[in-house]
Amino acid sequence: MHDKTQSLLLRWAALFLFIQSTILTLSPAVRERTWDVDYRLLHWAGFLVWGVLITFAHRATVKHLPERDPYLLPAAALLSGWGLLTIWRLDEEFGIRQTMWLCICVIIFILAISAQQIIFNFLKRYKYVLLSSGLFITALTLLFGTNPLGIGPRLWLGCCGVYFQPSEPLKLLLVIYLSAYLADRINIRLSSLPLLIPTLVVTGLALLLLLVQRDLGTASIFICIFTVFIFLYTGKRRVLLSATLFLTAALVMGYFFIDIIHVRVEGWLDPWADPTGKSYQIVQSLLAVANGGIIGRGIGIGSPLLVPVAISDFIFAAIAEETGLVGTIGLLVLIWLILARGLIASLRAMDRFRRYLAAGIVTYLGIQSLLIIGGNLRLLPLTGVTLPFVSYGGSSLLTSYIALFLLLSISNVEDNEPAPLENPKPYTFLAGALALGFLAIAVTSAWWSVIRAPDLLNRTDNPRRSIADRYVPRGELLDRNNQSINITEGESGSYQRIYLYPDLAPIIGYTHPVYGQAGLEATLDDYLRGLQGNPSSLIWWDHMLYGTPPPGLDVRLSLSLALQSKADQLLGGHAGAIILMNAETGEILSMASHPTYDPNKLSKEGQALAQNLSAPLVNRATQGLYPIGTALLPLIRAKFGEAQPTDSELNTYYQRLGLFQAPALNMPVAFDTVDHSVKNLKVSPLQVSLAAALLSHNGIMPVPRIATAVNTPEQGWVVLSAEGTPIEVMQAEAANDAASSFLMKGKSHWSHVGQASMDDNIITWLLAGTLPDWKGTPLALVVTLEENNVFLANYIGDSILDAALNQ
């Protein structure tokens, strides 16, 4: 029965890995949406080697361990195969190395099974020699240690490209030592010196060595292993409390005195404070988990290599990104299955040595898994240990397979009675504690991949969005006459955003892999990226099949490039803003903000632009805030006539004009949130243009609009509704009279120039518009100059209105 169960489970594991290998092979075609690609094939060598090795391992267990637990080998085999293919997907060179290590590990595993009884006797008898040898070899890293990456702690011994980390098997040697030592002692109290002195001395030496090495993750595991053994032996929960207090105190002390702990604790407490520096790893790990969502981006389609050391410390994040919450829960279930079956084997063990040994192995595997996965998810500070059976690393994989051999051998109980166990509660408590730990991991994984995912993926420091843009064409931005403003050029894998009218940069913004998004490119991103406007079935299908949205949709703007070119030419090198608006519909026909910049050169000039004191990145038309001064005189006359209004009356009127709130426009806007007093209020040109529209459209304030339609695949051009409704602010007669009173001699439109002082500088306003009896499109114009230049304001106003009225 055991043989059939294990054989069936191994077949299911092989099927799972076969499907994973097939998907990985086809992933380039899926990502580039064409069959004409270079397919990934080398990982099949890893799969075939895994299949052969696990077949021999299965036969060895059938022959030498007939009563073993049938779930342990399939779970461990699937984990190691899953990890192997993930490493092949991330880095084929390391995939070859891991495949070679798997060969060595499984061969040693098979040889150990055939000599299990001799090995167990040897381990118990020579516990001191084994642990001392492990300490000695680990100590050699202080003199001859190296790091395969060339930087970081020198925890490895190596030569000729082959590296071995002694601290990995040292954990297992400590488990073996403590199991053999405690198994030979009966009825020793917690305060007894024979119990404490030898174990404390040996464990203390190991901890001291690890602290000198700065291998703090392994040191934490040593403390946990030692604590659990003493707890299992004595049943005293105060042992756990003491260890918890000790670890907390060590963490606090390390935060203040050890730089590496300080950096990791800061990254744990507030990773967003330095997301591109010290916290880069954990932030990218969380972004990977969020990017995976529920079902994942698809094997070979995600971007797990954005997370540093993805093949080792952050392999959980790599798996989470491409298999989603479903994959991570499956991974946790496999690890928990090994732990649960290991604890069952411990309770059924034929002697105390095997019982302690099984429980110690479960503790080692469980604590190490919780530490590294918790670090990936920001549930715990990052420790830098490996994920057993899964992460890259020969010493880690070898230790995991030796632990598997020991668990299988201990579980191989025929009809022998288990060793007496007076108090099973510590084992039950250990199982419950590990279960709660894995439940916390599962909940945290769901939190980042489902609840927090939308916020995380919209961060400007998430490079996965720009990577997707290289494979899926982004929709175009067009003017009102369908002339292209922003387009996408290139082929799948090399799509690039091109800005055909750079002077509009402060308004249209940009989408960039380093600097994120701004302007209309940001606010219309869902349409341009294809996440809105496409059929939900198409969005779902593309996400399922490609892990990306469908092609983006074109968006038509209300802007007229002819009028826009005129406005930019007139504003030239002067700092300020221009808004020309259809006073009836609120459609913005022209919006200029100077100084401007070229978004096509953002990669080279982005840093300098961000530091430029003239703020070219700011859209002065909607985000610039200026004092009013005498700019609103026509509107004050329309309301109060020649009378002088009080501050209270003006305050109420300004509220009615919408000067205390952000205009409802689908692009970045600003309003004064600091001072709502009439004398100190600052407003944006957009707010003033909406107020000026009253005089050209019978006292009715329109709702501003700049994105007017989107080209959908099913319905063609669909009009985008305004984000509000027009408001009648004053009677038409009052508005018309005020407009007529500001009609300048020889002109066909009303206009007014006002000025205000700001920071020892003069701000020049021009408000203008068509007259009430104008039979064409009613227009409102606002010009804002950050200088004392009435002549230029009038010249710009006359020129733009003449051009607009004569179109």
Side-chain angles (χ1 to χ4, degrees):
M1 184 63 182
H2 290 74
D3 299 345
K4 290 183 179 180
T5 301
Q6 180 172 285
S7 177
L8 178 62
L9 292 175
L10 287 173
R11 288 193 184 99
W12 279 109
L15 177 62
F16 174 85
L17 296 179
F18 175 80
I19 295 174
Q20 182 178 359
S21 299
T22 303
I23 295 173
L24 185 55
T25 294
L26 298 176
S27 61
V30 174
R31 164 158 276 188
E32 299 190 24
R33 306 192 183 197
T34 176
W35 296 108
D36 186 19
V37 294
D38 294 327
Y39 293 95
R40 308 184 67 155
L41 299 172
L42 290 179
H43 62 275
W44 283 102
F47 171 75
L48 294 175
V49 170
W50 175 90
V52 172
L53 292 172
I54 296 304
T55 299
F56 282 111
H58 168 64
R59 292 178 179 176
T61 57
V62 170
K63 180 179 179 181
H64 298 286
L65 302 173
E67 298 299 325
R68 76 213 167 275
D69 189 306
Y71 297 96
L72 287 171
L73 179 60
L78 181 52
L79 282 174
S80 60
W82 197 345
L84 178 66
L85 289 180
T86 302
I87 295 166
W88 272 99
R89 179 262 180 273
L90 296 170
D91 192 311
E92 291 183 345
E93 180 181 348
F94 282 96
I96 295 173
R97 294 183 182 183
Q98 188 75 347
T99 303
M100 295 172 63
W101 273 113
L102 183 64
C103 292
I104 296 172
C105 295
V106 176
I107 290 173
I108 293 176
F109 172 80
I110 294 172
L111 294 175
I113 286 177
S114 62
Q116 54 174 309
Q117 194 58 46
I118 299 173
I119 292 176
F120 269 86
N121 293 334
F122 178 82
L123 295 178
K124 187 174 182 180
R125 178 175 298 179
Y126 297 102
K127 54 184 177 292
Y128 292 107
V129 175
L130 290 171
L131 186 58
S132 300
S133 301
L135 289 171
F136 175 74
I137 296 174
T138 305
L140 290 178
T141 59
L142 298 177
L143 298 175
F144 307 107
T146 185
N147 190 307
L149 299 178
I151 57 174
R154 297 184 300 171
L155 307 179
W156 286 261
L157 295 174
C159 179
C160 306
V162 179
Y163 299 93
F164 181 75
Q165 188 175 1
S167 61
E168 283 294 331
L170 188 61
K171 302 167 192 172
L172 195 54
L173 291 176
L174 178 65
V175 170
I176 294 169
Y177 164 78
L178 291 173
S179 300
Y181 183 85
L182 295 178
D184 293 337
R185 284 149 181 83
I186 303 175
N187 298 327
I188 299 179
R189 292 177 299 176
L190 180 60
S191 58
S192 176
L193 291 179
L195 169 65
L196 293 178
I197 291 179
T199 55
L200 278 174
V201 169
V202 173
T203 307
L205 286 174
L207 283 174
L208 180 61
L209 178 60
L210 294 172
L211 289 174
V212 172
Q213 279 189 315
R214 299 165 65 86
D215 190 358
L216 304 177
T218 301
S220 301
I221 295 173
F222 265 57
I223 295 173
C224 293
I225 290 173
F226 176 76
T227 302
V228 170
F229 265 100
I230 301 302
F231 172 63
L232 293 178
Y233 186 88
T234 64
K236 304 296 184 182
R237 294 189 182 182
R238 65 175 180 267
V239 174
L240 302 178
L241 178 61
S242 300
T244 302
L245 294 176
F246 177 79
L247 281 173
T248 304
L251 185 64
V252 173
M253 293 290 290
Y255 176 78
F256 290 104
F257 297 106
I258 302 177
D259 55 350
I260 189 172
I261 295 182
H262 182 85
V263 169
R264 288 181 174 178
V265 170
E266 281 196 335
W268 172 49
L269 294 176
D270 187 12
W272 320 114
D274 189 15
T276 59
K278 297 177 181 178
S279 301
Y280 181 77
Q281 278 185 303
I282 184 61
V283 168
Q284 292 302 319
S285 175
L286 296 178
L287 289 173
V289 174
N291 197 42
I294 296 178
I295 59 175
R297 287 298 176 185
I299 297 169
I301 301 179
S303 303
L305 284 171
L306 292 172
V307 187
V309 204
I311 61 173
S312 181
D313 295 7
F314 288 91
I315 198 167
F316 176 84
I319 292 173
E321 179 166 5
E322 298 199 332
T323 63
L325 180 62
V326 174
T328 57
I329 295 298
L331 188 73
L332 295 176
V333 168
L334 287 173
I335 298 173
W336 173 246
L337 179 61
I338 294 176
L339 303 183
R341 303 305 296 186
L343 283 174
I344 292 174
S346 175
L347 294 174
R348 294 177 179 176
M350 65 178 66
D351 56 47
R352 290 161 53 85
F353 171 62
R354 285 175 169 80
R355 174 167 294 154
Y356 284 133
L357 184 56
I361 291 172
V362 166
T363 301
Y364 146 61
L365 294 175
I367 294 296
Q368 181 153 322
S369 299
L370 289 174
L371 280 177
I372 189 58
I373 298 176
N376 279 205
L377 296 172
R378 200 194 155 209
L379 182 63
L380 298 169
L382 190 62
T383 54
V385 295
T386 56
L387 184 57
F389 293 105
V390 183
S391 292
Y392 171 78
S395 47
S396 174
L397 190 63
L398 179 60
T399 305
S400 298
Y401 265 92
I402 293 174
L404 175 64
F405 150 70
L406 295 174
L407 285 180
L408 280 169
S409 300
I410 295 169
S411 71
N412 186 47
V413 179
E414 298 181 3
D415 297 326
N416 298 333
E417 286 290 327
L421 181 60
E422 296 181 0
N423 183 15
K425 290 184 179 179
Y427 293 85
T428 304
F429 188 89
L430 175 61
L434 289 174
L436 285 176
F438 277 87
L439 178 61
I441 290 289
V443 171
T444 306
S445 185
W447 167 258
W448 292 117
S449 61
V450 179
I451 306 300
R452 288 296 310 279
D455 292 336
L456 290 179
L457 296 178
N458 286 327
R459 288 178 60 90
T460 57
D461 55 2
N462 176 22
R464 290 158 183 81
R465 294 163 60 89
S466 58
I467 291 175
D469 285 344
R470 296 209 304 260
Y471 292 91
V472 182
R474 188 172 177 84
E476 294 187 5
L477 285 178
L478 310 170
D479 85 334
R480 64 187 305 106
N481 299 311
N482 289 334
Q483 286 186 263
S484 297
I485 300 175
N486 292 0
I487 64 174
T488 297
E489 290 185 347
E491 299 177 349
S492 180
S494 61
Y495 285 125
Q496 185 177 2
R497 197 65 167 167
I498 304 297
Y499 306 90
L500 300 179
Y501 192 93
D503 284 345
L504 260 175
I507 292 88
I508 59 173
Y510 52 80
T511 181
H512 192 272
V514 175
Y515 299 105
Q517 293 179 316
L520 290 171
E521 286 282 357
T523 57
L524 299 175
D525 183 65
D526 283 349
Y527 287 118
L528 298 173
R529 195 179 290 274
L531 292 172
Q532 190 174 350
N534 277 308
S536 56
S537 58
L538 177 63
I539 296 173
W540 178 86
W541 175 253
D542 277 49
H543 180 80
M544 285 288 294
L545 186 59
Y546 305 114
T548 57
L553 305 180
D554 298 340
V555 178
R556 181 189 294 150
L557 305 180
S558 59
L559 299 176
S560 166
L561 281 182
L563 294 174
Q564 185 68 40
S565 176
K566 185 73 172 179
D568 285 315
Q569 180 183 358
L570 290 167
L571 196 53
H574 300 272
I578 298 174
I579 294 182
L580 177 65
M581 177 183 293
N582 182 322
E584 179 180 5
T585 65
E587 293 181 0
I588 297 172
L589 305 177
S590 174
M591 179 182 287
S593 174
H594 285 212
T596 183
Y597 62 97
D598 187 349
N600 295 298
K601 301 177 181 178
L602 201 59
S603 296
K604 296 181 180 179
E605 302 176 355
Q607 193 69 26
L609 288 172
Q611 299 173 356
N612 193 324
L613 296 179
S614 63
L617 296 174
V618 176
N619 179 7
R620 286 167 160 78
T622 63
Q623 295 172 292
L625 296 177
Y626 304 94
I628 297 176
T630 59
L632 297 184
L633 182 60
L635 292 156
I636 294 175
R637 292 276 180 86
K639 176 66 175 177
F640 302 102
E642 296 295 332
Q644 183 64 36
T646 65
D647 286 350
S648 176
E649 290 174 329
L650 279 179
N651 187 284
T652 302
Y653 185 43
Y654 286 176
Q655 287 183 351
R656 185 68 174 164
L657 292 176
L659 301 183
F660 294 148
Q661 63 188 31
L665 183 65
N666 50 0
M667 67 183 304
V669 296
F671 68 103
D672 192 346
T673 60
V674 178
D675 196 336
H676 283 180
S677 64
V678 171
K679 294 181 179 179
N680 299 319
L681 179 66
K682 293 182 180 180
V683 294
S684 69
L686 175 61
Q687 290 175 302
V688 175
S689 66
L690 291 170
L694 295 170
L695 304 187
S696 296
H697 185 49
N698 304 314
I700 299 175
M701 181 181 292
V703 178
R705 301 183 65 199
I706 193 166
T708 58
V710 57
N711 192 10
T712 65
E714 290 187 336
Q715 299 174 284
W717 285 103
V718 174
V719 175
L720 297 175
S721 59
E723 299 185 11
T725 55
I727 301 174
E728 184 176 357
V729 177
M730 63 181 67
Q731 294 182 351
E733 184 179 355
N736 296 342
D737 289 345
S740 299
S741 67
F742 282 88
L743 174 63
M744 303 302 292
K745 185 177 181 180
K747 297 182 181 179
S748 59
H749 56 267
W750 67 268
S751 66
H752 164 72
V753 175
Q755 291 189 316
S757 298
M758 184 177 73
D759 300 332
D760 299 327
N761 190 25
I762 299 297
I763 303 299
T764 303
W765 290 92
L766 178 132
L767 280 66
T770 54
L771 295 171
D773 58 354
W774 172 251
K775 301 303 181 181
T777 301
L779 302 175
L781 174 69
V782 169
V783 178
T784 310
L785 299 176
E786 296 178 10
E787 59 185 81
N788 182 8
N789 199 332
V790 175
F791 174 79
L792 178 61
N794 278 313
Y795 179 72
I796 291 175
D798 292 344
S799 300
I800 291 180
L801 282 175
D802 287 345
L805 296 176
N806 293 324
Q807 270 194 341

